[in-house]
Structure formats: C-alpha cells, structure tokens
Amino acid sequence: MPDLGAAIGGRILFGGDYNPEQWPEETWHEDVRLMKDAGVNSVTLGVFSWAKLEPHPGAREFGWLDTLMDLMHDSGIGVVLATPTSSPPPWMGRLHPDTLPRAEDGRTEWWGGRQHFSHSSATYRRYAAAITEDLAARYGGHPALRMWHINNEYCTTDHGDEAAAAFRRWLREKYGTLEALNTAWGTAFWSQGYDSWDGILPARQPHYLKNPAQVLDFRRFTSDMLLECYVAERDIVRRHTPHLSVTTNFMPLWFGQDAWRWAEEEDVVSVDLYPDPRDPLGAQHGALVQDMTRSQARGPWMLMEQAAGPVNWRGVNHPKPRGLNRLWSLQAVARGADAVCYFQWRQSRQGAEKFHSGMISHAGEEGRTFQEVKRLGADLARIGEHVTGTAVRADVAILHDWHAWWAGAQDGRPSSEVDHPALLHAWHRALWESGLTTDFAHPEHDLSAYKCVALPRLYLLTDAAIGNLLGYVHGGGTLVCGFHTAVADEDDRVRPGGMDARLRELFGIRTLHEWWPLDAGERVECEGFHGTLWSEEIEAAGTADETIPYKGGELDGLPAVLRRGRAWYVSTLPEPEALRALLARITAEAGVRPVLDGLPEGVEAVRRGALLFLLNHRRDPVSVEVPGTHHDLLSGGTISDRITLGRYGTAVLRP
Ligand code: GLA
C-alpha cells in the first residue's frame, strides 16, 4: 500500500488548498513566484471545482486544470488532486432534486452553499463516479500528481426517501429479520413494533423523544453511507494510480463519522485543525487532535488544513498573534505530522470565506501573515529530512469510540451536561499538563503496548471491548476508568445492575445504587479534592484495595474513587488540578515517565524519533533544563544542559 513517504520524498509537505479558479491567470504566475519564495512544495487543487470542470451535465472543461498542473510541475510543486464531489454544481440540484439531502424535519438542504449532496442518491453517486473517473484518467499519469484527496470533510446526513430505502437495506443486512430488529431496538416500548421494513424511517422528527437504538443505528448507517461514497471514489483513483496514496480530510472529533473505521480505508490519514488563538487551552486541543489523528494513522499523518490567521466561522474571529502559527505548526510535526498545510493559499476576495485567512492575506506579500508563512517554510525545510517517517511513542492511551459517543449523547439521559468531547479534553489535558505523551485507542484495540490506559467515559461497551479491558488488566496493565461507563451493550440496552458485572467486579464495586449527576457549576466534596459534573452512589465490595470517599451530602462516606489492584474507577470528574494529580500518580505507579522532568508550566516536550521538540506556549521567554549536549536543528546552535525559548519559541533538538 502506498504511504505518505512516496508523496513527500523526505520533505515535510508544505502548502495548502489552492483555488486558482477564483483568480485571473496573471495571478497564477504571481502565486507560483510567492509559493517558491515561501518554500511551498505542495498544493491541493480542485476541492471545489466541480462547476468549473463540469459546467453542464456531462461537459468536461479540463483546459484550465491542464495549465495549472503543468505550471505546478514546471515550478517543482507537487499536486494533491481533489475530487470535487463535496460541492455539486447548481444544475445538479435543479435537474435532479433527488441529489439534495433532507433534514430530520423534512427541510431540503438547497444548493447555494456547499455539501448539499445526499450520500444515498444514486444520481449523485453516478455523477461523482463519472467526474472522478475522468479526472483520474486525465491526470493519473501527470508528473505533478503526488496523491489524491477525496471529497472534503464528509459530514452530511440525509433523512429523505432514498436514504430511507438505503437505511432499510442496511438494517436488513444487519438484522436479517424484523423480529431481530424489533428486539434490538426495544420496540415493545411505546408501541413501536414494526410489521414491515417499509415502515422504518431514518430517524425523522417525531412528536417526542426518538427511539435511541434507532438513532444509534441511523448514525452508524450515516457514517457507513458516507464511507461508501469515499470508497467508491477511492477505488476509481486507485485503479488508475495504484502507486499513489489516497486520503480524505477529517474534521477533528467529528460526531458524524466513525473515524477509526474510516482510517482503515485510507492510505494516509489527514485532518483539518483550527484551535481558537484566544483559547487558553488551544494548544492542548491541538495536541489532542494531533494525538488522535496519529493514533488513527498508526504513524505519520497530514495536517491538511489549518488557518494562517483568523477563521471566519466563530462568533468573534481572532487573528493569530505573532509566532503562534509557527508554534502550532511545529507542534503538529512534533506529534507526528509529515505535512503542514492550510486552507487556503490566497485569501478570497469574494464568497462566504472572504474573511477567512489564507497563507497570503488581503495584506499581500508584505503582510505579516505571509512573512511568517515564509519563515515557517524555511524551518520545515531545515528539519524535514530528520523528522519525516519517524514515530512518536506513547506509554499511555485514552480510549475513545464513536458508537459510545453516539449512544451516550442522546436525549432522555441522566444529564445533558455530560459531553463526550469535553471529557476527552479534560482527561487528555490532565496527561498533557503532566508532560506525558498520549495515544488514543479504540476499546477493542490491542492495548498491550501501553503501561496505562485511561477511559474517561464509554457509556456503551461491547462484550468484546469488555473482554479486552479485562484481558489488559489481567495481563499486567493499569486501567483508570471514569464514570457512567459500560452502562449499555451495543444495542444501547442497559446492562443488568446499570454497569457491566465483570467490570464492577474488576473495580471492586458491589452495587451501583444511583447516578447523582450535578448541575452546571455544582461541586461535590471528596476527600482532598472537589468533583464536578457527576457523582455516583456506590457500595464497594470487600475486595476494593483503596477508596477515596465523598465528604458530606447524600453520598458522605461512599467511595468517589475505588482501586482494586491495577484497576481504578473514578465516579466523578475531579477538578482539573485534582484530575491531573490523580492521573499523575496512577501513571507514575504504572511506570509511565514524562518526556522531560521539571518542565516549566506552559512548555510542551515531545519526542519524535531521535528528536526532542520543545514548545513554549507562553508569550514570555522561558528557560528549560535539557541535560546533555544537543544540536538545535532550527537555530543551528549547540545546546548544553539548558536552553532559553523566546515567546512562542520552539527548539528541535538532536542528541
Ligand atoms: C474546512 C473546509 C475548508 C474551509 C475551512 C474554513 O476545513 O475544508 O474548505 O471551509 O474549513 O475553516
């Protein structure tokens, strides 16, 4: 299977989405001059070019793209060629309304924006396959072509009639009989028993709460349908260019897509990452997404999009202060990226994203944004050969699963305050602030390489996952598990006792009497710390080795935290400092070491291959102790025992 190595040849891929169709041809030549100036070695062409390539049904306008592919090749810039299928031309919706998706209340999602396609529409799929086929046939042999980018941020849902038919087919395949479906969905509740497949709907808007098992299957179906669209296009381009790798760009922690499953179908995993420059935890959010993407990729991955300055889709869109673009780009490389790319090369003057930054902002060549992009290009060129293809190793993993998220995020649950991504962020933050490098893993993955596994909350766990966790702990691993976990089986059926009995035994829980969710802002006192969000009325079995009790209130004296051997259960969300301390203790006891001891606050250290990346997330200079003598690949200097990092400063040290 081709991988990223083939596309990059020892350089970090540096560039971005290039939308030349928005500009006159003179600008293309200006673009190339500036790209070379900035060290850009890759552009992604064609992401939103469908109407330009196929202005009328069946027409083909390739001339402009021929010119650009040649121009890029002549300039030594590689092309990641996108299939344009995320934004069908207006004629498609007009002539084929069946290609338009429907919201759960029946509302049509019209053209005039983007991503207005139904994943289940045979007409859409036929047109998408045809343009993909012709693109691959025409450019498969072009020397500028480095790899394929399929569609863009797959994210649509559809509740229309064609999706309904596809959903029924999907369900028939899964359940075989209506009886099995009725059992799995618990349709005895509220008189929902189906007497015909034709009666089943794609979770459209009802009067009151939806059937949660139906919603769960609809989410699985939606992810699978979008994946089918991806695979269909991937297979077409693969047939033409088996030597080139294929990707599609993920949105980070996107609810609609089981990215573990998707990653298996990609040669290279890529992600679009836009932390808020004003967010004090923006760097940690970046680290989390980077850790997750690396884990999905099981190796180097691509930062396919980021912003050189502000985005345009938050309420208030802040620019990146001087140096932050470089810092966050190098953070991605530290955490395994072999590509640092942007949306987009040149900031648009028209359209919905004209206030979204580009590598060249409206201020042009002299603008600070482009000047910083240029500097970054030079930095990446300096470190590329030392870093590409190398691995980041982690001794601790956080477990995450989309199915558990989908099932645990439904209406009608104990607390709508509980938010799956927020919990992942809280636990990841605790480890990040302790200077530990963290992978993510699926609960059914082989976990034996990890000394410690952290499970913030997985409301739904399959029997296979439970067996995996038991095997992991019995095999010597340390497991630390958050509240409201293993509540449901894979049909979202509550397990007897409100939590899987094998896991209760593992943690030393005799009875889980009640969940006591907390209001927003409410705290519960525990011995030595405060919990937030959630608490539980647990009776420990005699076998628990250690407990930390709740103090005061209804749960006074009952265990907030339990340990049995190497298995820990944490029935609340400790405040950030307390969670950090707890996880620091547990990981240390499991033998997990921070990347570097004594790191000052706000400084991140990551090892990638033989290199040590030091990243100062503060605006003031900071001095960091690094025992031994090192060569800083960025500054070219020699470092003995101590280094000073300036505002947002970074060092890439080689022993
Ligand atoms: C996404 C899309 C891009 C662009 C950016 C804006 O990542 O893929 O086309 O809309 O968002 O941030």
Side-chain angles (χ1 to χ4, degrees), residues 48 114 152-153 249 272 274 305 313 343 353 356:
F48 294 111
R114 67 178 191 190
N152 189 67
E153 295 188 339
N249 49 339
D272 302 342
Y274 295 95
E305 291 181 24
W313 40 260
F343 174 83
E353 294 185 322
H356 190 295

Side-chain angles (χ1 to χ4, degrees), residues 117-139:
F117 66 89
S118 161
H119 49 59
S120 295
S121 161
T123 311
Y124 164 76
R125 288 190 181 200
R126 197 169 59 244
Y127 276 114
I131 190 74
T132 301
E133 180 74 44
D134 291 354
L135 271 176
R138 189 166 188 98
Y139 299 109

